[in-house]
Amino acid sequence: MAFASELYAAATEALTVDATSGGVRLTLSNLLNTTPPTKAATLTVETAQLRWLKDGTAPTASAGHVANVGSVIFLDNANDLVNFRAIRTGSTSALIRVSYHRGYGKR
């Protein structure tokens, strides 16, 4: 794992987390084939509650980790970044703000 001081914020995006079957993923172009490589991401939850998983399985409105408005999720390895999925828990879609962190860091 690279330490935060070895990384820099290289890209940001806002993702709407709705009821998409299988869950909403991070944008793969921000993760794959970047130079230097994307090592981590910080996500903040806005607008509404959501559920998320990072093992590649699909969360549902009743299964997965709960993240409320104001929650911060930090993903710090390639597996977690690629396998992250989120879905809203109610009728209101959530918004997540994502900062992608890149760097070579120590391995």
Side-chain angles (χ1 to χ4, degrees):
M1 174 179 98
F3 295 97
S5 62
E6 299 169 338
L7 304 176
Y8 65 93
T12 61
E13 69 177 330
L15 295 173
T16 299
V17 177
D18 55 16
T20 298
S21 178
V24 174
R25 301 175 67 169
L26 300 177
T27 303
L28 291 179
S29 63
N30 286 319
L31 303 174
L32 305 174
N33 302 315
T34 63
T35 304
T38 299
K39 296 283 191 175
T42 303
L43 295 72
T44 55
V45 180
E46 300 179 7
T47 314
Q49 185 183 73
L50 60 83
R51 286 191 180 263
W52 63 278
L53 291 168
K54 61 179 185 175
D55 63 0
T57 59
T60 68
S62 60
H65 300 285
V66 172
N68 292 305
V69 173
S71 293
V72 177
I73 302 165
F74 186 71
L75 305 171
D76 66 353
N77 67 66
N79 234 15
D80 291 352
L81 292 164
V82 171
N83 289 319
F84 176 84
R85 307 281 189 283
I87 195 165
R88 70 184 187 201
T89 59
S91 60
T92 303
S93 294
L95 180 74
I96 54 175
R97 303 250 179 221
V98 185
S99 292
Y100 294 97
H101 309 288
R102 294 185 185 150
Y104 290 104
K106 298 177 182 174
R107 296 184 184 225

